[in-house]
Amino acid sequence: MTDTPGMTVTLERKAASQVALQVEATADEVEAAVQASLRRLAGRVRIPGFRPGKAPAAMVERAVGWEAIRHETVDHLVPELYRRAVDETGVEPVGDPELDLGELERDQPLKFTATVTVKPEVDLRDYLTLRVPMETTEITEESVDHAIHEARRRHSELADVDRAAQAGDVIRCTLVMRRGDEVLTGGDAEERELELDRELVIPAIVDGVIGLTAGESRTFETTLPQDYRQEELRGATVTIDVAVHAVRERTLPPEDDALAVLDGHGPTLEDLREHYRTALAVEAADQDRERHEGAALAALRDYVRVDVPEAMMEREIDRQLADLEYRLASLGLPLDRYIEMSGQNVAALRAERRESATSRVRLELALDALAAAEGIEVDETQVEREARAVAEGRKIDAAQRRRLEDLARRDLRRRAAGHRLLEIVTPEDSGFVAT
């Protein structure tokens, strides 16, 4: 139990990461809150002979009645007492509390119990022994050959041909992708270039266009792949309407010294190959580092012991669905229409996100615990700078600014914890440098 001016707080820990905060405000604290309520109410009622807010408290009380005063007092006092109780006990709520509120009476203490889900305790175990090997990508001559081929492709020439489209051609066309009555792409009917390369374009679309000549059109159905760039359209069956306006054949320049000069990377072909060998090595190192960072985070996430509260999973699912709704809106597709077209319901959408939500929350809890164990602090100047960047162009009050700073501080601590994790898990002889 803790005592603070005007109140006492007793903390009781319960199962499933819940706590019960038993709060008791003194009679003096209650009376002060009642008087504050009377002052607020005085500005809202009209009492003959007095300007708004100037009538004596007794007259205001007779005019509005005790029930109105009681409700006004509870609405302002209880949230303030709850906030103070949270600060005093140091718990970190992850949802709204359930209140068991006693009756508020004048000259009497006010008692209530707030039961709320809090951040769970995380067992980091022996995290300093965690290791994740650093894997490196070898740059082969085949990968250099592919880079040279891409350079030839960039410097190729296109010429109109009077024949059916073949793989490797570039066509000028109008292409519309629809799902039911919804136009997903190509609604502006503008001409576009489409390269008939199965590595660059959905293979089914390439196959559907091959064989057409200029002036011909075709309509066909296909299923979008599971790695389609827009998550909400993965696996969707769509209708493609394509009209070919021109077929163009690509002619590649020879693979010789002239290609190096044309590409601007040396006088000889060997210079060109060395340029791309180096560029591929730099790109591979970046990708290796990114994969290593992801593997380290996944290792920590799976290593710690923590029971993720249901409230935290539900909140993360809410965030994911809000993100989905935002992305759908950018396509002009309301969420309810998407649900109808996909043959799902909200419950199914939430269920399919449960696993990813659990993984994300576990990782965030693990990083927070690591930051605490390592005593990681962040530069408050950087916190203010990040908060200002988010708030730029918006008018916010003091409470909103504090909220932005809290979020910035949390994100910076997690970022710093991620860097410390990489130092822990990476073998010293790997040559890895965290960025």
Side-chain angles (χ1 to χ4, degrees), residues 148 254-276:
I148 294 296
E255 187 176 335
D256 54 19
D257 291 347
L259 177 63
V261 175
L262 185 63
D263 199 49
H265 293 110
T268 69
L269 179 61
E270 186 50 45
D271 290 329
L272 183 64
R273 292 185 66 85
E274 185 58 33
H275 164 77
Y276 282 110

Short mmCIF file of all heavy atoms in Angstrom, two decimals, residues 148 254-276:
data_model
loop_
_atom_site.label_atom_id
_atom_site.label_comp_id
_atom_site.label_asym_id
_atom_site.label_seq_id
_atom_site.Cartn_x
_atom_site.Cartn_y
_atom_site.Cartn_z
N ILE A 148 25.76 -7.91 -66.12
CA ILE A 148 26.18 -7.46 -67.46
C ILE A 148 25.00 -7.55 -68.43
O ILE A 148 24.78 -6.64 -69.25
CB ILE A 148 27.36 -8.31 -67.96
CG1 ILE A 148 28.60 -8.08 -67.09
CG2 ILE A 148 27.67 -7.98 -69.43
CD1 ILE A 148 29.15 -6.69 -67.12
N PRO A 254 26.43 -5.61 -78.28
CA PRO A 254 27.38 -6.71 -78.04
C PRO A 254 28.03 -6.59 -76.66
O PRO A 254 28.13 -5.49 -76.09
CB PRO A 254 28.43 -6.53 -79.14
CG PRO A 254 27.80 -5.64 -80.15
CD PRO A 254 26.81 -4.78 -79.43
N GLU A 255 28.45 -7.73 -76.13
CA GLU A 255 29.14 -7.75 -74.84
C GLU A 255 30.64 -7.61 -75.10
O GLU A 255 31.38 -8.59 -75.20
CB GLU A 255 28.83 -9.06 -74.11
CG GLU A 255 29.36 -9.11 -72.69
CD GLU A 255 28.95 -10.38 -71.95
OE1 GLU A 255 27.93 -10.98 -72.31
OE2 GLU A 255 29.67 -10.74 -71.00
N ASP A 256 31.07 -6.35 -75.22
CA ASP A 256 32.49 -6.08 -75.52
C ASP A 256 32.93 -4.79 -74.84
O ASP A 256 32.18 -4.21 -74.03
CB ASP A 256 32.71 -6.02 -77.04
CG ASP A 256 31.79 -5.02 -77.73
OD1 ASP A 256 31.25 -4.11 -77.02
OD2 ASP A 256 31.60 -5.10 -78.94
N ASP A 257 34.11 -4.31 -75.18
CA ASP A 257 34.64 -3.09 -74.55
C ASP A 257 33.73 -1.89 -74.81
O ASP A 257 33.63 -0.99 -73.95
CB ASP A 257 36.05 -2.80 -75.07
CG ASP A 257 37.08 -3.83 -74.60
OD1 ASP A 257 36.74 -4.60 -73.69
OD2 ASP A 257 38.20 -3.85 -75.15
N ALA A 258 33.09 -1.88 -75.97
CA ALA A 258 32.21 -0.75 -76.29
C ALA A 258 31.06 -0.65 -75.29
O ALA A 258 30.57 0.45 -74.99
CB ALA A 258 31.67 -0.89 -77.71
N LEU A 259 30.64 -1.78 -74.75
CA LEU A 259 29.56 -1.77 -73.74
C LEU A 259 30.03 -1.06 -72.47
O LEU A 259 29.27 -0.32 -71.85
CB LEU A 259 29.13 -3.20 -73.42
CG LEU A 259 28.07 -3.36 -72.33
CD1 LEU A 259 26.76 -2.69 -72.75
CD2 LEU A 259 27.83 -4.84 -72.01
N ALA A 260 31.29 -1.28 -72.07
CA ALA A 260 31.83 -0.61 -70.88
C ALA A 260 31.83 0.90 -71.07
O ALA A 260 31.47 1.66 -70.16
CB ALA A 260 33.24 -1.12 -70.59
N VAL A 261 32.23 1.34 -72.25
CA VAL A 261 32.23 2.78 -72.53
C VAL A 261 30.80 3.30 -72.54
O VAL A 261 30.50 4.36 -71.97
CB VAL A 261 32.92 3.06 -73.89
CG1 VAL A 261 32.82 4.54 -74.24
CG2 VAL A 261 34.39 2.62 -73.85
N LEU A 262 29.90 2.58 -73.17
CA LEU A 262 28.49 2.99 -73.24
C LEU A 262 27.87 3.08 -71.84
O LEU A 262 27.09 4.00 -71.55
CB LEU A 262 27.72 1.98 -74.10
CG LEU A 262 26.24 2.28 -74.40
CD1 LEU A 262 26.10 3.58 -75.20
CD2 LEU A 262 25.61 1.12 -75.16
N ASP A 263 28.25 2.17 -70.97
CA ASP A 263 27.69 2.14 -69.62
C ASP A 263 28.39 3.13 -68.68
O ASP A 263 27.91 3.39 -67.57
CB ASP A 263 27.81 0.72 -69.05
CG ASP A 263 26.86 0.48 -67.89
OD1 ASP A 263 25.66 0.79 -68.01
OD2 ASP A 263 27.32 0.00 -66.84
N GLY A 264 29.55 3.65 -69.12
CA GLY A 264 30.25 4.67 -68.33
C GLY A 264 31.05 4.11 -67.18
O GLY A 264 31.29 4.81 -66.18
N HIS A 265 31.51 2.84 -67.30
CA HIS A 265 32.24 2.23 -66.20
C HIS A 265 33.51 1.56 -66.70
O HIS A 265 33.74 0.37 -66.45
CB HIS A 265 31.36 1.24 -65.44
CG HIS A 265 30.23 1.88 -64.72
ND1 HIS A 265 28.92 1.73 -65.11
CD2 HIS A 265 30.22 2.71 -63.64
CE1 HIS A 265 28.15 2.45 -64.30
NE2 HIS A 265 28.91 3.03 -63.40
N GLY A 266 34.34 2.32 -67.37
CA GLY A 266 35.64 1.81 -67.76
C GLY A 266 35.79 1.62 -69.25
O GLY A 266 34.80 1.49 -69.98
N PRO A 267 37.03 1.56 -69.68
CA PRO A 267 37.28 1.40 -71.12
C PRO A 267 37.18 -0.04 -71.61
O PRO A 267 37.08 -0.28 -72.81
CB PRO A 267 38.72 1.92 -71.29
CG PRO A 267 39.35 1.67 -69.95
CD PRO A 267 38.27 1.82 -68.93
N THR A 268 37.22 -1.03 -70.67
CA THR A 268 37.23 -2.42 -71.12
C THR A 268 36.09 -3.20 -70.48
O THR A 268 35.55 -2.81 -69.44
CB THR A 268 38.56 -3.12 -70.76
OG1 THR A 268 38.63 -3.26 -69.34
CG2 THR A 268 39.76 -2.31 -71.24
N LEU A 269 35.80 -4.33 -71.08
CA LEU A 269 34.75 -5.20 -70.55
C LEU A 269 35.13 -5.71 -69.16
O LEU A 269 34.28 -5.83 -68.28
CB LEU A 269 34.52 -6.37 -71.51
CG LEU A 269 33.46 -7.40 -71.08
CD1 LEU A 269 32.09 -6.73 -70.92
CD2 LEU A 269 33.38 -8.55 -72.08
N GLU A 270 36.43 -6.00 -68.96
CA GLU A 270 36.87 -6.48 -67.64
C GLU A 270 36.67 -5.40 -66.57
O GLU A 270 36.31 -5.70 -65.43
CB GLU A 270 38.34 -6.91 -67.69
CG GLU A 270 38.83 -7.56 -66.39
CD GLU A 270 37.91 -8.66 -65.89
OE1 GLU A 270 37.46 -9.50 -66.70
OE2 GLU A 270 37.61 -8.68 -64.67
N ASP A 271 36.90 -4.12 -66.94
CA ASP A 271 36.62 -3.02 -66.01
C ASP A 271 35.13 -3.00 -65.65
O ASP A 271 34.76 -2.76 -64.49
CB ASP A 271 37.02 -1.67 -66.63
CG ASP A 271 38.51 -1.51 -66.75
OD1 ASP A 271 39.24 -2.07 -65.92
OD2 ASP A 271 38.96 -0.82 -67.70
N LEU A 272 34.30 -3.22 -66.65
CA LEU A 272 32.85 -3.21 -66.42
C LEU A 272 32.46 -4.36 -65.48
O LEU A 272 31.65 -4.17 -64.56
CB LEU A 272 32.11 -3.34 -67.75
CG LEU A 272 30.58 -3.27 -67.68
CD1 LEU A 272 30.11 -1.91 -67.18
CD2 LEU A 272 29.97 -3.58 -69.04
N ARG A 273 33.04 -5.54 -65.71
CA ARG A 273 32.72 -6.67 -64.85
C ARG A 273 33.19 -6.39 -63.41
O ARG A 273 32.48 -6.73 -62.45
CB ARG A 273 33.39 -7.95 -65.39
CG ARG A 273 32.79 -8.43 -66.71
CD ARG A 273 33.40 -9.77 -67.12
NE ARG A 273 33.05 -10.84 -66.19
CZ ARG A 273 31.94 -11.55 -66.26
NH1 ARG A 273 31.03 -11.30 -67.20
NH2 ARG A 273 31.71 -12.52 -65.40
N GLU A 274 34.35 -5.79 -63.25
CA GLU A 274 34.85 -5.49 -61.91
C GLU A 274 33.95 -4.47 -61.21
O GLU A 274 33.71 -4.56 -60.00
CB GLU A 274 36.28 -4.96 -61.99
CG GLU A 274 36.93 -4.73 -60.63
CD GLU A 274 36.97 -5.99 -59.78
OE1 GLU A 274 37.10 -7.10 -60.34
OE2 GLU A 274 36.88 -5.85 -58.53
N HIS A 275 33.44 -3.49 -61.98
CA HIS A 275 32.52 -2.50 -61.42
C HIS A 275 31.29 -3.20 -60.84
O HIS A 275 30.89 -2.91 -59.69
CB HIS A 275 32.11 -1.48 -62.47
CG HIS A 275 30.90 -0.69 -62.09
ND1 HIS A 275 30.94 0.36 -61.19
CD2 HIS A 275 29.59 -0.81 -62.45
CE1 HIS A 275 29.73 0.85 -61.01
NE2 HIS A 275 28.89 0.17 -61.77
N TYR A 276 30.70 -4.08 -61.62
CA TYR A 276 29.48 -4.74 -61.15
C TYR A 276 29.77 -5.77 -60.07
O TYR A 276 28.94 -6.00 -59.19
CB TYR A 276 28.72 -5.36 -62.33
CG TYR A 276 27.96 -4.31 -63.10
CD1 TYR A 276 28.34 -3.93 -64.38
CD2 TYR A 276 26.88 -3.65 -62.52
CE1 TYR A 276 27.66 -2.94 -65.07
CE2 TYR A 276 26.19 -2.65 -63.20
CZ TYR A 276 26.59 -2.30 -64.47
OH TYR A 276 25.92 -1.31 -65.14
#
